[in-house]
């Protein structure tokens, strides 16, 4: 009889625009509850259900993730979908990962609100042969599904990347909602984007002024 122990890896996928404490808390609670060896945070390049215009470049999202998990050896990045680019389908990703890591059992962590949409997932009947789906119990959310789901308990943390982006848009800093290193990075790239905008606007205004001056010269 073989005594080879299979690895237990959790995967938390998402757009992470930006990563925040609710993501990290859920990943850690799943790790503890299921005794996982590690949790991989897997940013999507371009998920089918998100408008391409609604997310920032993958490079920035990856850097924020790296900053958020740099001090936690139980977390690591899985960048397969970023490297492949294009639309990110979980089935295609897991087909690659299960082939690459045949000695690993994968636990795919999803939000409770996603459970009801599992029947619509691409090649779901084949996907459930590759992963164990994991979801967190939440009040007023059904815990039944035609597909096998491992339900675990975790504190309710009503926090979203959309809400954080809205706060920043309104001039409010999302202090205590995401790691300080991530917030500092957001401030840095926001400053750079603003600087680029002002430079481009000034360049455009000079170009327009030059055109006007040239056209006003008497021939």
């Amino acid at each position: 009889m073989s005594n080879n122990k299979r690895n237990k890896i959790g995967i938390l996928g998402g757009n992470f625009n930006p990563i925040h404490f609710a993501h990290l808390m859920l990943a850690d609670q799943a790790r503890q509850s299921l005794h996982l060896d590690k949790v991989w945070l897997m940013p999507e390049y371009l998920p089918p259900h998100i408008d391409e215009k609604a997310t920032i470049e993958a490079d920035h999202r990856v850097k924020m993730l790296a900053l958020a998990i740099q001090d936690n050896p139980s977390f690591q990045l899985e960048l397969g979908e970023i490297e492949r680019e294009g639309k990110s389908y979980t089935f295609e990703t897991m087909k690659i990962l299960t082939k690459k890591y045949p000695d690993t059992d994968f636990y795919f962590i999803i939000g409770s609100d996603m459970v009801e949409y599992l029947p619509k997932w691409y090649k779901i009947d084949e996907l459930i042969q590759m992963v164990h789906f994991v979801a967190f119990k939440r009040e007023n959310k059904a815990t039944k599904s035609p597909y096998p789901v491992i339900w675990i308990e975790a504190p309710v943390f009503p926090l979203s990347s959309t809400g954080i982006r809205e706060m920043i848009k309104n001039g409010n800093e999302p202090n205590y909602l995401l790691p300080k290193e991530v917030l500092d990075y957001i401030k840095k790239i926001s400053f750079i984007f603003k600087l680029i905008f002002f430079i481009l606007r000034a360049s455009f205004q000079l170009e327009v002024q030059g055109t006007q001056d040239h056209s006003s010269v008497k021939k």
Side-chain angles (χ1 to χ4, degrees):
M1 180 180 293
S2 174
N3 291 321
N4 292 337
K5 177 180 176 293
R6 292 183 62 80
N7 297 316
K8 297 177 65 176
I9 298 295
I11 294 181
L12 179 63
N15 204 242
F16 301 115
N17 184 28
I19 177 77
H20 52 66
F21 280 135
H23 292 134
L24 298 171
M25 182 272 291
L26 292 176
D28 186 64
Q29 289 298 307
R31 181 188 63 81
Q32 294 186 62
S33 296
L34 300 174
H35 306 290
L36 304 176
D37 296 301
K38 283 195 174 187
V39 175
W40 295 353
L41 280 78
M42 185 173 71
E44 303 150 321
Y45 183 78
L46 186 61
H49 61 283
I50 291 184
D51 186 344
E52 186 173 0
K53 297 178 181 178
T55 188
I56 63 173
E57 293 180 5
D59 181 57
H60 291 305
R61 291 184 284 119
V62 169
K63 286 179 180 177
M64 288 189 286
L65 276 166
L67 288 170
I69 68 174
Q70 61 185 350
D71 296 324
N72 191 335
S74 296
F75 293 160
Q76 75 177 54
L77 289 177
E78 162 50 45
L79 301 179
E81 293 188 347
I82 296 293
E83 292 166 354
R84 290 201 310 277
E85 300 187 349
K87 297 285 186 179
S88 301
Y89 290 97
T90 303
F91 169 77
E92 300 293 348
T93 299
M94 296 313 305
K95 185 168 65 173
I96 293 170
L97 290 178
T98 52
K99 184 177 181 179
K100 186 176 181 180
Y101 303 100
D103 60 344
T104 298
D105 293 328
F106 289 102
Y107 294 76
F108 202 88
I109 304 165
I110 60 176
S112 59
D113 56 334
M114 291 299 296
V115 172
E116 62 182 294
Y117 293 104
L118 284 179
K120 298 180 180 180
W121 280 39
Y122 179 64
K123 293 193 175 182
I124 182 63
D125 292 321
E126 295 174 61
L127 180 58
I128 61 173
Q129 305 302 318
M130 303 177 186
V131 303
H132 304 282
F133 278 107
V134 179
F136 294 90
K137 293 180 180 179
R138 184 181 297 180
E139 290 185 13
N140 303 320
K141 285 287 184 180
T143 55
K144 293 183 179 180
S145 171
Y147 298 99
V149 175
I150 300 172
W151 290 93
I152 58 179
E153 302 279 355
V156 176
F157 200 170
L159 178 61
S160 71
S161 296
T162 301
I164 289 176
R165 293 197 305 273
E166 193 65 24
M167 288 181 67
I168 295 172
K169 178 182 176 182
N170 293 332
N172 298 320
E173 291 191 5
N175 297 319
Y176 310 111
L177 299 180
L178 67 173
K180 182 180 182 300
E181 296 83 357
V182 175
L183 180 55
D184 288 344
Y185 183 80
I186 291 172
K187 291 178 182 178
K188 176 183 175 182
I189 61 174
S190 295
F191 173 76
I192 292 173
F193 288 154
K194 288 178 181 178
L195 183 61
I196 292 173
F197 170 76
F198 286 132
I199 291 173
L200 290 175
R201 186 174 68 174
S203 176
F204 175 74
Q205 289 174 339
L206 286 173
E207 183 178 341
V208 170
Q209 183 64 44
T211 302
Q212 292 174 342
D213 292 342
H214 179 74
S215 63
S216 65
V217 175
K218 295 182 179 180
K219 296 183 180 179

